[in-house]
């Protein structure tokens, strides 16, 4: 059971499940004991906070083996005033930033639950490659897919 850490470069990871209701699409946070269903669409939200400008930062978001990314194309992206390379692999999604300015950034990407079982969702870690003392990681949670 991994707990989150604090540093000048910090991050927070949350999972949400998307549900269709009569009033439209609603996202709800995934709790530790919540049972998901095969085919559920989840949203992984990562919040990065940096108290200083940094260069060459690597963010690695591990995911449970029951989850598959809906978009599986790697490439350079630009979002919210920040350019980064997103690399999608079998076990994680990696984000590479050449320059990360001081501030708060939010990343989201969609996942689909496709296998039944009890899984560890994994942690998300971030590290400045030229100053490794600036690193942080999120906490891990368990997922149950029925």
């Amino acid at each position: 059971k991994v707990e989150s850490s604090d540093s000048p470069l910090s991050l927070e990871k949350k999972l949400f499940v998307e549900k269709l209701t009569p009033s439209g699409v609603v996202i709800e946070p995934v709790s530790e004991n919540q049972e998901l269903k095969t085919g559920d669409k989840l949203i992984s939200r990562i919040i990065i906070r940096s108290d200083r400008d940094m260069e060459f930062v690597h963010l690695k978001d591990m995911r449970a083996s029951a989850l598959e990314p809906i978009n599986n194309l790697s490439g350079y992206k630009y979002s919210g005033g920040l350019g980064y390379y997103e690399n999608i692999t079998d076990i994680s999604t990696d984000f590479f930033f050449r320059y990360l300015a001081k501030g708060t950034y939010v990343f989201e990407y969609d996942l689909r639950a496709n296998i039944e079982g009890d899984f560890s969702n994994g942690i998300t870690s971030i590290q400045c490659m030229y100053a490794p003392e600036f690193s942080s990681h999120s906490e891990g949670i368990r997922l149950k897919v029925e």
Side-chain angles (χ1 to χ4, degrees), residues 61-69 72 87-94:
D61 182 25
M62 306 286 282
R63 63 178 170 271
S65 58
L67 304 178
E68 288 294 327
N72 53 11
N87 183 36
I88 300 169
T89 63
D90 287 341
I91 61 168
S92 67
T93 299
D94 296 286

Side-chain angles (χ1 to χ4, degrees), residues 2 20 33 40 51 57 64 75 95 102 105 124 128 132 142-143:
V2 179
L20 255 39
N33 296 322
D40 279 353
D51 69 351
V57 177
F95 299 90
K102 176 182 177 179
Y105 303 94
T124 300
C128 179
R142 301 291 301 178
L143 293 178

Side-chain angles (χ1 to χ4, degrees), residues 22 26 40 49-50 92:
V26 175
D40 279 353
R49 292 180 183 88
S50 176
S92 67

Side-chain angles (χ1 to χ4, degrees), residues 52-81:
R52 64 195 74 193
D53 297 344
M54 294 187 192
E55 291 183 331
F56 300 105
V57 177
H58 175 220
L59 170 71
K60 182 173 194 146
D61 182 25
M62 306 286 282
R63 63 178 170 271
S65 58
L67 304 178
E68 288 294 327
I70 292 176
N71 175 21
N72 53 11
L73 296 175
S74 298
Y76 194 82
K77 298 186 179 173
Y78 188 81
S79 174

